[in-house]
Amino acid sequence: MEDRRAFFKKIGILGLTGIASKLVSNEQLNALETFGNEGLQNAPFTLPTLPYNYNALEPFIDQQTMTIHHTKHHQAYVDKLNKAIENMGGKFVLEEAFKTISKAEPAVRNNGGGHYNHSLFWQLMKPNPSSKENKPSGKLAESILKDFKSFDEFKKEFSEKSAKIFGSGWCWLIEQDGKLKITTTPNQDNPLMDVVTEKGKPVLALDIWEHAYYLKYQNKRADYIANWWNIVNWEKAEELFLLK
Ligand code: MN
């Protein structure tokens, strides 16, 4: 089992850490008290590299969508987040900030969520050129069976909730008090934020913004969702599920 912080550092959400953190004064750290002080990290945040090529998720997600989504949309969240926190002394931990995000300015909530959610989303997909059946295994599969009766029931509920999101948002599989649950959030909110009703540990995330599918699927959101199951990275989802 891996420590949460090590995991997120590895996948790039925490950005650069180390030397620069020693250059920040106590005064600056105190100014960040609202955001907690455990495992403080330094801005600027950076765009994480995708763990595959832009065309690797074809035919389920096309190269142009992946390129624009990553280099334009995600990059914009990173840039705007860095701008929003630039007066905070370069010390910032997203997961801590989410706990009291209702007190932060909207730019931090929207772009912090945007950066975090997309960083997870890229990791939670993987190429599947053979389009062979793609299912979870191990402990996560066991818990899905326990909490949703069957994998098909789980898929059905997740797909339906994704399809029903009004406007832009995300669909999540979360662990809440030891139980798996499917939830949705509007805009770039996520289950770690104090503003959402259903809080929990993210295990799986699906981007339901039109920018995630419109070039290939236009208004056919249900087709995007149905195809997405082919490229879910269940190994990564299980890693998230097993994190403390
Ligand atoms: Mn997106």
Side-chain angles (χ1 to χ4, degrees):
M1 195 171 294
E2 197 175 10
D3 168 69
R4 277 192 83 72
R5 195 154 301 284
F7 176 81
F8 286 107
K9 189 175 173 189
K10 192 175 74 191
I11 70 171
I13 293 185
L14 294 184
L16 303 166
T17 51
I19 302 165
S21 66
K22 297 183 179 73
L23 305 174
V24 179
S25 70
N26 284 335
E27 200 174 302
Q28 286 168 319
L29 289 180
N30 291 341
L32 278 173
E33 211 170 36
T34 333
F35 297 101
N37 59 6
E38 191 200 329
L40 284 167
Q41 80 134 82
N42 38 314
F45 289 93
T46 53
L47 185 68
T49 312
L50 289 187
Y52 37 73
N53 293 326
Y54 288 116
N55 63 359
L57 303 181
E58 299 256 12
F60 310 108
I61 300 184
D62 59 291
Q63 176 170 1
Q64 190 184 17
T65 298
M66 285 303 295
T67 308
I68 296 172
H69 201 171
H70 182 251
T71 65
K72 304 295 180 193
H73 293 281
H74 190 170
Q75 183 70 61
Y77 296 123
V78 170
D79 294 345
K80 288 174 186 170
L81 172 63
N82 285 331
K83 178 121 190 71
I85 63 171
E86 70 187 351
N87 295 323
M88 294 181 180
K91 302 288 282 178
F92 197 82
V93 180
L94 278 175
E95 288 190 313
E96 287 301 315
F98 293 154
K99 292 177 187 168
T100 53
I101 204 72
S102 56
K103 296 184 184 118
E105 53 182 298
V108 176
R109 174 175 168 179
N110 293 335
N111 297 296
H115 177 41
Y116 189 89
N117 299 351
H118 285 86
S119 300
L120 278 188
F121 185 53
W122 309 135
Q123 293 285 328
L124 286 165
M125 296 189 288
K126 63 166 189 193
N128 182 5
S130 64
S131 72
K132 65 176 187 320
E133 196 186 10
N134 186 28
K135 294 175 90 163
S137 60
K139 293 251 185 305
L140 178 56
E142 284 170 28
S143 293
I144 287 175
L145 285 185
K146 180 166 67 71
D147 295 329
F148 298 95
K149 310 277 186 262
S150 71
F151 179 63
D152 287 344
E153 279 298 308
F154 157 74
K155 253 174 94 168
K156 186 165 170 275
E157 184 184 332
F158 193 101
S159 301
E160 283 172 3
K161 286 190 169 166
S162 299
K164 278 185 191 154
I165 292 174
F166 184 75
S168 301
W170 291 75
C171 192
W172 304 89
L173 175 64
I174 63 168
E175 188 197 340
Q176 186 187 67
D177 303 325
K179 206 173 178 311
L180 289 172
K181 207 165 184 175
I182 297 163
T183 67
T184 63
T185 54
N187 305 313
Q188 295 295 355
D189 289 352
N190 68 46
L192 297 171
M193 293 182 173
D194 66 347
V195 289
V196 305
T197 346
E198 298 282 7
K199 289 184 254 310
K201 179 173 76 177
V203 175
L204 194 59
L206 175 57
D207 189 340
I208 295 294
W209 285 55
E210 283 188 344
H211 69 221
Y213 62 87
Y214 207 85
L215 290 175
K216 181 178 170 72
Y217 294 97
Q218 293 85 46
N219 60 318
K220 293 178 275 252
R221 182 193 278 182
D223 291 353
Y224 159 65
I225 297 164
N227 272 341
W228 176 74
W229 292 111
N230 289 298
I231 46 170
V232 171
N233 186 340
W234 285 110
E235 293 75 25
K236 196 57 74 173
E238 192 178 19
E239 269 187 61
L240 284 173
F241 177 62
L242 294 175
L243 287 178
K244 285 190 173 169

